[in-house]
Amino acid sequence: EKAGYKHFMAKEIAEQPVVIADALKHYVAGDGTLRLPEALDFKGVDRLTMVACGTASYATHVAKYWFEQIAGLPVEIDIASEFRYREPPLSPQQWALFVSQSGETADTLAALRYAKEHVGKVVSVVNVATSSIARESDLALPILAGVEVGVASTKAFTCQLTVLAILALKAALDRGRLDAAGLAGHLAALNALPGLMNHALGLSADISAVSKNLAEAQDILFLGRGPMFPLAMEGALKLKEISYIHAEGYASGELKHGPIALIDSHVPVIVLAPRDGLFDKTVSNMQEVMARHGKVVLISDAAGVAEAGAGCWKTITLPEVAAQFAPILYSVPAQLLAYHTAIAKGTDVDQPRNLAKSVTVE
Ligand code: M6R
């Protein structure tokens, strides 16, 4: 059942190119049009509220950038445990979208039940299509990741991102923000991802060598900007869940507002930075870390590593990718770093202490 892999997590990380290609095939027809239920029409929707927990919540954080930048749709995001008790004012002109691998997370389900009383439509993005969250939504969209056994979510996260990207494109079409050529461009970028992820999977041995050093750290920071900021938080969550090393993800620009006080020669700082429009800003944050003897691990593309790799402790070079969808590709090294660090520490990767796969109690 582990198909020759040592752990479910390793198998599930490796499956990502295939399951993402499956999800894309499901939601994009051969003629390049989107295949979504007719009821999913964003015309007249003036706001989208997305709610989830844990890794699924980080998927909504990334998707906020897409809905706002590609579709011009204002988005609010919240974690379910806060949303459900805050009982925020909602209106029929807005939709609520819930993301959950299991579809049984107690807080997310309670948040959905609250929203259902107030919003125009409740949409869910789920892996388990027969789950409570799927059943109680007006529209449930499967992510088609297949069964995910590892407690640390990997392929469900990247499949959630893929489906959310498709939804952002649909919102952009419905709102008149995207023409056929624009859609084709975004779809070409998404369709390139499985191949790029295969390339990233091939870096596993290099990443494992970096992880052997990370395993000695007590604290690790992850930095990112734009849609890579939520991936920094996801990378930190993955690492702490399975290696038990304290890790935090920050927006690069927040560094000087506090966390830089943590930096000394013992603190590795993982910088997730494709060479996009914000790269130079991130490089200056990186230099601030290096000036304080922090150990920078730069994860970028060849152009980024050529430009800013000097002085870094380690570099990991990924292929080039469309900037907006970079979080999907950069998930792979973030997951592999966590995985190999946990292996180096000898922890139980698939069954980390104190955690359950499905959190059905609050
Ligand atoms: O089943 P869900 O997606 O609703 O679960 C949400 C979180 O409990 C889950 O993502 C958790 O954070 C994972 N252990 C992350 O790896």
Side-chain angles (χ1 to χ4, degrees), residues 53-56 100-102 105 151-153 237-238 241 359:
C53 299
T55 286
S100 175
Q101 188 287 126
S102 64
T105 300
V151 166
S153 186
L237 175 65
K238 211 95 298 169
E241 274 191 296
V359 185

Side-chain angles (χ1 to χ4, degrees), residues 16 23 31 56 179 203 217 227 318:
Q16 290 177 109
D31 62 0
D179 59 13
L203 303 175
L318 292 182

Side-chain angles (χ1 to χ4, degrees), residues 52-58 99-106 108 125 127-128 133 148 150-154 156 160 234 237-238 241-242 352 355-359:
C53 299
T55 286
S57 165
Y58 294 137
V99 181
S100 175
Q101 188 287 126
S102 64
E104 301 296 346
T105 300
T108 311
V125 169
N127 197 27
V128 181
I133 289 175
E148 188 180 68
V151 166
S153 186
T154 53
Q160 285 161 355
E234 166 61 7
L237 175 65
K238 211 95 298 169
E241 274 191 296
I242 59 170
L355 295 176
K357 180 67 185 159
S358 182
V359 185

Side-chain angles (χ1 to χ4, degrees), residues 70 169 172 178 181-192 322 324-325:
I70 305 174
L169 295 178
L178 199 61
L183 174 66
H186 285 302
L187 290 178
L190 288 172
N191 282 322
Q324 255 159 340
F325 301 128

Side-chain angles (χ1 to χ4, degrees), residues 7-130:
H7 302 96
F8 283 107
M9 186 181 176
K11 169 175 172 275
E12 289 160 4
I13 290 172
E15 279 170 353
Q16 290 177 109
V18 171
V19 289
I20 282 172
D22 288 347
L24 287 170
K25 235 176 272 156
H26 181 87
Y27 287 106
V28 185
D31 62 0
T33 56
L34 301 185
R35 207 158 28 198
L36 285 162
E38 227 162 82
L40 195 99
D41 186 341
F42 285 87
K43 257 186 244 87
V45 177
D46 68 7
R47 178 170 290 272
L48 181 65
T49 298
M50 291 193 279
V51 181
C53 299
T55 286
S57 165
Y58 294 137
T60 69
H61 279 66
V62 174
K64 176 180 166 78
Y65 289 81
W66 296 335
F67 279 105
E68 292 190 349
Q69 293 178 343
I70 305 174
L73 180 62
V75 168
E76 246 161 33
I77 41 181
D78 208 346
I79 43 175
S81 56
E82 286 301 311
F83 181 91
R84 67 178 288 194
Y85 292 115
R86 202 175 73 252
E87 301 192 337
L90 300 168
S91 79
Q93 289 74 45
Q94 73 184 85
W95 283 9
L97 192 155
F98 298 85
V99 181
S100 175
Q101 188 287 126
S102 64
E104 301 296 346
T105 300
D107 282 327
T108 311
L109 183 57
L112 181 154
R113 287 175 178 160
Y114 168 74
K116 217 173 166 186
E117 303 292 312
H118 301 91
V119 299
K121 196 162 280 179
V122 166
V123 182
S124 61
V125 169
V126 289
N127 197 27
V128 181
T130 51

